[in-house]
Amino acid sequence: MTSRRDELATRLGEVRARIERAATTAGRDVDEVELVVVTKYFPATDVDHLVDLGVRHIGENKDQEAGAKVVDLARRDDVTVHFIGQLQSNKAAHVAAYADVVQSVDRAKIVTALDRGAQRHGRRLDVLLQVALDDEEGRGGARPDDVPALADLVAQAEALRLRGVMAVAPLGGDPRRAFARLREVADGIRAGHPDATWISAGMSADLEDAVAEGATHLRVGTAILGTRPSLG
């Protein structure tokens, strides 16, 4: 019977091979692309297996689950925790206590709350601005035209460090076209903030398109961990 660790090792190897092929096709160095394994709904033991297998970045999007899970990690210091879910301002201070990167900043109120929370906990957080690439409600993200002002606000915050942008491809749309638009937004932000070099884009189904359009971080869950466990 295949162990969970062996299963994760096989799936992780397959995803890493996809990333390497995509980078080669795009004429990029594969070392330019970081894999963020999305571990939401999966236990801390899976994260520990992944860390043993060389994973150094994990993504979580549920505050209550993530906060408890991070405490249980055997090798917390060996992994960077990315919060990638929609963030409410009243949860920001709690997220600031355990996350190393917050990828889903999309409005001024979140910037203020995160900065206050990070200062309270004596931490400095890396921040990505989530860009809305469609008009669909409920998925989060700032309109592209609003992103530059938000970038300036993050750059002025005492405990936040602007690292770049993040987006999710529109449902039913062309991911390559969406990620090309994100790249344009990223270029605009970088003109005023040269250190904001990260582009977080691409998931299990569309990571190749993201790599082709310059993604530096890929958020992959299902292709590595499988179908999420039943919550019932």
Side-chain angles (χ1 to χ4, degrees):
M1 183 175 178
T2 302
S3 70
R4 179 58 170 164
R5 187 184 188 282
D6 288 344
E7 178 186 347
L8 292 173
T10 298
R11 288 172 172 267
L12 180 61
E14 292 168 350
V15 168
R16 284 172 167 162
R18 286 176 61 190
I19 295 170
E20 187 165 1
R21 288 194 298 269
T24 299
T25 300
R28 299 181 60 193
D29 185 339
V30 70
D31 291 337
E32 297 173 0
V33 184
E34 291 282 5
L35 173 61
V36 180
V37 181
V38 180
T39 51
K40 64 179 180 179
Y41 304 128
F42 289 89
T45 52
D46 276 359
V47 179
D48 290 335
H49 286 320
L50 290 166
V51 174
D52 287 342
L53 293 166
V55 169
R56 292 296 175 262
H57 298 263
I58 64 165
E60 292 284 333
N61 72 348
K62 300 291 183 183
D63 173 43
Q64 186 173 0
E65 176 198 352
K69 185 185 298 183
V70 168
V71 171
D72 289 339
L73 296 181
R75 293 172 58 185
R76 170 64 182 95
D77 292 343
D78 293 331
V79 67
T80 298
V81 177
H82 296 244
F83 188 83
I84 62 177
Q86 284 189 265
L87 186 57
Q88 299 173 346
S89 57
N90 63 347
K91 299 290 184 66
H94 186 244
V95 170
Y98 64 82
D100 303 303
V101 182
V102 178
Q103 293 202 15
S104 49
V105 173
D106 61 1
R107 55 196 187 279
K109 192 174 183 181
I110 297 297
V111 175
T112 302
L114 271 180
D115 186 38
R116 186 181 300 124
Q119 289 185 53
R120 185 182 310 153
H121 294 291
R123 306 189 73 223
R124 187 167 175 82
L125 302 181
D126 287 332
V127 166
L128 299 183
L129 306 178
Q130 184 174 353
V131 182
L133 299 177
D134 59 18
D135 297 322
E136 186 163 339
E137 295 291 334
R139 302 188 76 195
R143 291 168 51 87
D145 291 347
D146 295 331
V147 172
L150 198 59
D152 291 342
L153 189 61
V154 171
Q156 294 164 11
E158 182 177 329
L160 307 181
R161 180 166 45 210
L162 179 65
R163 300 308 301 256
V165 297
M166 180 271 262
V168 180
L171 293 172
D174 178 358
R176 180 70 181 266
R177 183 175 181 180
F179 297 147
R181 176 68 178 114
L182 180 64
R183 188 175 196 168
E184 292 174 359
V185 176
D187 289 344
I189 296 303
R190 196 160 50 249
H193 304 279
D195 292 333
T197 58
W198 296 7
I199 301 177
S200 174
M203 297 189 287
S204 293
D206 53 23
L207 67 85
E208 286 84 2
D209 290 314
V211 172
E213 292 299 337
T216 61
H217 291 69
L218 306 171
R219 308 180 306 276
V220 180
T222 303
I224 295 171
L225 288 141
T227 304
R228 74 186 191 189
S230 172
L231 301 181

